[in-house]
């Protein structure tokens, strides 16, 4: 976990920036893709760039989540229905 966004009314983080210890990849996770786009995207991308994820191999890449349904999957303590917005693996 590299950074966490603000908590929502349910005490859950709106977004998270995660990576491996080697920092060869980065993922930006968001609970609500539309709210993330409107409120946080530019600031979060600036944070990711400041962390050094700037090369084409490490920069975040938006992942289509349209039509995904996670309601029947067990929830994770950290993730409770987090929608993965962006991930790029080097």
């Amino acid at each position: 976990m590299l950074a966490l966004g603000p908590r929502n009314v349910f005490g859950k983080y709106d977004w998270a920036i995660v990576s491996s210890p080697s920092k060869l990849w980065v993922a930006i996770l968001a609970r609500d893709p539309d709210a993330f786009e409107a409120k946080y995207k530019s600031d979060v991308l600036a944070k990711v760039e400041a962390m050094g994820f700037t090369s084409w191999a490490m920069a975040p890449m938006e992942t289509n989540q349209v039509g995904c349904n996670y309601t029947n999957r067990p929830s994770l303590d950290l993730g409770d229905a987090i929608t993965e917005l962006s991930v790029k693996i080097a």
Side-chain angles (χ1 to χ4, degrees):
M1 191 72 54
L2 299 177
L4 295 169
R7 292 180 184 252
N8 62 24
V9 296
F10 302 108
K12 306 293 183 180
Y13 295 107
D14 281 342
W15 56 263
I17 301 171
V18 297
S19 186
S20 67
S22 62
K23 295 187 178 177
L24 292 177
W25 56 270
V26 66
I28 302 168
L29 309 172
R31 276 181 206 289
D32 181 337
D34 294 329
F36 179 83
E37 181 82 28
K39 294 180 182 180
Y40 309 118
K41 185 176 181 178
S42 61
D43 290 338
V44 172
L45 290 177
K47 286 180 188 294
V48 168
E49 185 175 343
M51 291 175 187
F53 296 101
T54 56
S55 73
W56 67 269
M58 292 190 303
M61 179 178 64
E62 195 164 332
T63 304
N64 180 12
Q65 297 294 309
V66 175
C68 294
N69 182 348
Y70 301 103
T71 57
N72 293 326
R73 291 187 177 186
S75 63
L76 302 173
D77 185 43
L78 175 66
D80 293 345
I82 286 179
T83 301
E84 186 174 323
L85 255 195
S86 181
V87 64
K88 177 74 178 194
I89 298 175

